[in-house]
Amino acid sequence: MQYRAVDFTMDTVPLRQSSTVSIGRIKPELYKQKSVDSEEAKEPVETCGKLSFSLRYDYEEQALVVRILKALDLPAKDFTGTSDPYVKIYLLPERKKKFQTRVHRKNLNPTFDETFCFPVVYDELCNRKLHFSVYDFDRFTSHDMIGEVVVDNLFELSDLSREAVVWKDIHAATTESIDLGEIMYSLCYLPTAGRMTLTVIKCRNLKAMDITGSSDPYVKVYLMCDGRRLKKRKTTIKKSTLNPVYNEAIIFDIPPENVEQVSLSIMVMDYDRVGHNEVIGVCRTGPDAEGLGRDHWNEMLAYPRKPITHWHALGEWPGRAASFESQGSCPSPKPPHTP
């Protein structure tokens, strides 16, 4: 049997309107439209004790002063029925600078009373958040993570001109969550034209990659098929920002019979004029993606000709895995059945 090669091409031409057609198995009624900034219902998070700390801004030193006070009712991680806790702290999105308390031996209610200072301009505090990771120290193996506390709003209790004491539940976690930032993009598919448009709208709270505490981000998009990269395209570079705005469209020509065979790999990169460009974070969308990446793709197919927009959290790049390195043409799909 002869197979016809599939022609995947792409361009950045303006979006063309087209009449809708049936797309087979997809049932639009299964995909309820959601507002981009709406809060989705979240499942209850398991807690494992409480953490107390205080926040204050030092105007003379231009620094956020964080005093870790104590923890209560920590879970026992050792076979002796106790733990050896300590706390790591970041001021996100910067992760290069971190602090760590002393280890408290055999204590489920440790009093830390340690103070740390993060240099930061006051006006930037609204774009920062604190991340506490509580660990159980182990001399012979890797340290066990007990849980974490994230403070999204540093002005939750006061303007920080005076010391404000905070109590927060420690949310159970087995690995430290890595906040690399988020990307907002829209997907739109025109079945009759066989054309899909990915519009990179903006990113927020990206990880700082430069010593200046900033990044020069751009977005690179791969059209994937069976782990192979077919086409790639990238946006412009935005200088010295962790919250870039793009509003740039990337268009792929994908026949309807092939839309279930492809996916998009989206990489947010940091441009470096001297060395190698570094990956800030990645996400994926397509029928073989997980979670929101798959749901976003299905929602695009369920509502043809309509841009569907979502925020996506960036994940770590798995390295130069085969799925990112192997390149070539996609095996030709089976031709449509003819009677």
mmCIF file with all atom_site columns, all heavy atoms in Angstrom, residues 27 43 69 250 271-272 312:
data_model
loop_
_atom_site.group_PDB
_atom_site.id
_atom_site.type_symbol
_atom_site.label_atom_id
_atom_site.label_alt_id
_atom_site.label_comp_id
_atom_site.label_asym_id
_atom_site.label_entity_id
_atom_site.label_seq_id
_atom_site.pdbx_PDB_ins_code
_atom_site.Cartn_x
_atom_site.Cartn_y
_atom_site.Cartn_z
_atom_site.occupancy
_atom_site.B_iso_or_equiv
_atom_site.pdbx_formal_charge
_atom_site.auth_seq_id
_atom_site.auth_comp_id
_atom_site.auth_asym_id
_atom_site.auth_atom_id
_atom_site.pdbx_PDB_model_num
ATOM 1  N N   . LYS A 1 27  ? -17.115 16.066 21.181 1.00 0.00 ? 27  LYS A N   1
ATOM 2  C CA  . LYS A 1 27  ? -18.442 16.518 21.565 1.00 0.00 ? 27  LYS A CA  1
ATOM 3  C C   . LYS A 1 27  ? -18.337 17.852 22.299 1.00 0.00 ? 27  LYS A C   1
ATOM 4  O O   . LYS A 1 27  ? -17.882 17.904 23.439 1.00 0.00 ? 27  LYS A O   1
ATOM 5  C CB  . LYS A 1 27  ? -19.113 15.482 22.469 1.00 0.00 ? 27  LYS A CB  1
ATOM 6  C CG  . LYS A 1 27  ? -19.336 14.137 21.774 1.00 0.00 ? 27  LYS A CG  1
ATOM 7  C CD  . LYS A 1 27  ? -20.034 13.156 22.698 1.00 0.00 ? 27  LYS A CD  1
ATOM 8  C CE  . LYS A 1 27  ? -20.270 11.831 21.998 1.00 0.00 ? 27  LYS A CE  1
ATOM 9  N NZ  . LYS A 1 27  ? -20.948 10.851 22.873 1.00 0.00 ? 27  LYS A NZ  1
ATOM 10 N N   . GLU A 1 43  ? -9.132  20.741 44.906 1.00 0.00 ? 43  GLU A N   1
ATOM 11 C CA  . GLU A 1 43  ? -9.334  19.707 45.898 1.00 0.00 ? 43  GLU A CA  1
ATOM 12 C C   . GLU A 1 43  ? -8.654  20.110 47.204 1.00 0.00 ? 43  GLU A C   1
ATOM 13 O O   . GLU A 1 43  ? -7.655  20.830 47.202 1.00 0.00 ? 43  GLU A O   1
ATOM 14 C CB  . GLU A 1 43  ? -8.746  18.387 45.387 1.00 0.00 ? 43  GLU A CB  1
ATOM 15 C CG  . GLU A 1 43  ? -9.445  17.859 44.146 1.00 0.00 ? 43  GLU A CG  1
ATOM 16 C CD  . GLU A 1 43  ? -8.852  16.540 43.698 1.00 0.00 ? 43  GLU A CD  1
ATOM 17 O OE1 . GLU A 1 43  ? -7.891  16.063 44.351 1.00 0.00 ? 43  GLU A OE1 1
ATOM 18 O OE2 . GLU A 1 43  ? -9.337  15.993 42.704 1.00 0.00 ? 43  GLU A OE2 1
ATOM 19 N N   . LEU A 1 69  ? 9.963   31.867 62.841 1.00 0.00 ? 69  LEU A N   1
ATOM 20 C CA  . LEU A 1 69  ? 9.776   31.753 64.283 1.00 0.00 ? 69  LEU A CA  1
ATOM 21 C C   . LEU A 1 69  ? 9.733   30.299 64.749 1.00 0.00 ? 69  LEU A C   1
ATOM 22 O O   . LEU A 1 69  ? 10.620  29.832 65.458 1.00 0.00 ? 69  LEU A O   1
ATOM 23 C CB  . LEU A 1 69  ? 8.509   32.488 64.703 1.00 0.00 ? 69  LEU A CB  1
ATOM 24 C CG  . LEU A 1 69  ? 8.507   33.993 64.384 1.00 0.00 ? 69  LEU A CG  1
ATOM 25 C CD1 . LEU A 1 69  ? 7.137   34.602 64.649 1.00 0.00 ? 69  LEU A CD1 1
ATOM 26 C CD2 . LEU A 1 69  ? 9.591   34.693 65.183 1.00 0.00 ? 69  LEU A CD2 1
ATOM 27 N N   . ILE A 1 250 ? 1.427   32.222 15.674 1.00 0.00 ? 250 ILE A N   1
ATOM 28 C CA  . ILE A 1 250 ? 2.172   31.223 14.914 1.00 0.00 ? 250 ILE A CA  1
ATOM 29 C C   . ILE A 1 250 ? 1.154   30.273 14.309 1.00 0.00 ? 250 ILE A C   1
ATOM 30 O O   . ILE A 1 250 ? 0.299   29.733 15.013 1.00 0.00 ? 250 ILE A O   1
ATOM 31 C CB  . ILE A 1 250 ? 3.151   30.461 15.815 1.00 0.00 ? 250 ILE A CB  1
ATOM 32 C CG1 . ILE A 1 250 ? 4.208   31.428 16.377 1.00 0.00 ? 250 ILE A CG1 1
ATOM 33 C CG2 . ILE A 1 250 ? 3.804   29.311 15.076 1.00 0.00 ? 250 ILE A CG2 1
ATOM 34 C CD1 . ILE A 1 250 ? 5.151   30.793 17.376 1.00 0.00 ? 250 ILE A CD1 1
ATOM 35 N N   . TYR A 1 271 ? 17.394  34.331 26.189 1.00 0.00 ? 271 TYR A N   1
ATOM 36 C CA  . TYR A 1 271 ? 18.410  34.654 25.186 1.00 0.00 ? 271 TYR A CA  1
ATOM 37 C C   . TYR A 1 271 ? 19.699  35.100 25.858 1.00 0.00 ? 271 TYR A C   1
ATOM 38 O O   . TYR A 1 271 ? 19.681  35.883 26.810 1.00 0.00 ? 271 TYR A O   1
ATOM 39 C CB  . TYR A 1 271 ? 17.898  35.760 24.262 1.00 0.00 ? 271 TYR A CB  1
ATOM 40 C CG  . TYR A 1 271 ? 18.941  36.294 23.311 1.00 0.00 ? 271 TYR A CG  1
ATOM 41 C CD1 . TYR A 1 271 ? 19.310  35.575 22.177 1.00 0.00 ? 271 TYR A CD1 1
ATOM 42 C CD2 . TYR A 1 271 ? 19.561  37.512 23.555 1.00 0.00 ? 271 TYR A CD2 1
ATOM 43 C CE1 . TYR A 1 271 ? 20.270  36.053 21.303 1.00 0.00 ? 271 TYR A CE1 1
ATOM 44 C CE2 . TYR A 1 271 ? 20.525  38.012 22.689 1.00 0.00 ? 271 TYR A CE2 1
ATOM 45 C CZ  . TYR A 1 271 ? 20.875  37.278 21.567 1.00 0.00 ? 271 TYR A CZ  1
ATOM 46 O OH  . TYR A 1 271 ? 21.823  37.763 20.712 1.00 0.00 ? 271 TYR A OH  1
ATOM 47 N N   . ASP A 1 272 ? 20.815  34.592 25.355 1.00 0.00 ? 272 ASP A N   1
ATOM 48 C CA  . ASP A 1 272 ? 22.139  34.967 25.865 1.00 0.00 ? 272 ASP A CA  1
ATOM 49 C C   . ASP A 1 272 ? 22.997  35.352 24.678 1.00 0.00 ? 272 ASP A C   1
ATOM 50 O O   . ASP A 1 272 ? 23.246  34.530 23.786 1.00 0.00 ? 272 ASP A O   1
ATOM 51 C CB  . ASP A 1 272 ? 22.779  33.814 26.640 1.00 0.00 ? 272 ASP A CB  1
ATOM 52 C CG  . ASP A 1 272 ? 23.961  34.280 27.487 1.00 0.00 ? 272 ASP A CG  1
ATOM 53 O OD1 . ASP A 1 272 ? 24.751  35.108 26.982 1.00 0.00 ? 272 ASP A OD1 1
ATOM 54 O OD2 . ASP A 1 272 ? 24.092  33.817 28.631 1.00 0.00 ? 272 ASP A OD2 1
ATOM 55 N N   . HIS A 1 312 ? -0.871  28.408 31.429 1.00 0.00 ? 312 HIS A N   1
ATOM 56 C CA  . HIS A 1 312 ? -0.235  27.110 31.637 1.00 0.00 ? 312 HIS A CA  1
ATOM 57 C C   . HIS A 1 312 ? 1.012   27.295 32.501 1.00 0.00 ? 312 HIS A C   1
ATOM 58 O O   . HIS A 1 312 ? 1.843   28.178 32.230 1.00 0.00 ? 312 HIS A O   1
ATOM 59 C CB  . HIS A 1 312 ? 0.181   26.466 30.305 1.00 0.00 ? 312 HIS A CB  1
ATOM 60 C CG  . HIS A 1 312 ? -0.980  26.040 29.464 1.00 0.00 ? 312 HIS A CG  1
ATOM 61 N ND1 . HIS A 1 312 ? -1.398  24.729 29.383 1.00 0.00 ? 312 HIS A ND1 1
ATOM 62 C CD2 . HIS A 1 312 ? -1.812  26.754 28.662 1.00 0.00 ? 312 HIS A CD2 1
ATOM 63 C CE1 . HIS A 1 312 ? -2.438  24.655 28.565 1.00 0.00 ? 312 HIS A CE1 1
ATOM 64 N NE2 . HIS A 1 312 ? -2.709  25.870 28.114 1.00 0.00 ? 312 HIS A NE2 1
#
